[in-house]
Amino acid sequence: MMVTTPCESELANETSAEDELFHVKHRPSASCDVLVLAGAISLDAVHQLTEAALQTVAGDKQVAVDWSEATHICAGALQVLLALGTALGARGQVLSVAGDNPGVRHTLELAGLSQLFPVRQGAR
């Protein structure tokens, strides 16, 4: 049985199906590969995010994430991003944020992880 609180049902009505769809794009540049994340980064999206993270870490460039268009981030997605950051750290690099989002940043702050995702200079 699924129980929905009045607050949850209001939030569900405010988000459209389009907002909930997760999209990940790889935006390469000469010095950095950017993972652009949009929509709800939910448990259903973790596999797609993992595949994209593995592809970018396989290269030798710096990696950044742009989650400025994300509507939600789940704990599983945070684990993938932490693993990506750890893999980059092993080669002396840092996973940085090229496009921040107040909602995602708040989630990171609540989890005590905000300092692990520094915002790049010139990021929007």
Side-chain angles (χ1 to χ4, degrees):
M1 180 173 145
M2 184 177 203
V3 177
T4 305
T5 66
C7 183
E8 289 171 336
S9 62
E10 287 175 20
L11 289 175
N13 291 335
E14 289 178 12
T15 58
S16 70
E18 184 67 27
D19 290 339
E20 293 302 314
L21 296 176
F22 173 69
H23 305 288
V24 60
K25 287 190 299 187
H26 174 239
R27 188 174 66 208
S29 72
S31 63
C32 184
D33 285 329
V34 179
L35 286 177
V36 181
L37 312 177
I41 312 168
S42 64
L43 194 55
D44 293 336
V46 169
H47 178 74
Q48 187 179 355
L49 177 59
T50 301
E51 291 298 318
L54 288 171
Q55 288 177 352
T56 57
V57 80
D60 61 350
K61 293 191 261 182
Q62 178 63 42
V63 179
V65 64
D66 177 342
W67 52 44
S68 60
E69 296 181 27
T71 58
H72 168 79
I73 188 163
C74 74
L78 287 176
Q79 289 177 329
V80 171
L81 293 173
L82 287 169
L84 176 58
T86 300
L88 292 170
R91 63 184 194 199
Q93 296 177 330
V94 175
L95 177 63
S96 60
V97 178
D100 209 2
N101 175 307
V104 172
R105 182 61 54 184
H106 181 68
T107 300
L108 293 173
E109 288 168 358
L110 290 174
L113 301 172
S114 186
Q115 72 283 357
L116 298 176
F117 299 97
V119 179
R120 278 188 1 192
Q121 286 286 50
R124 50 186 165 115

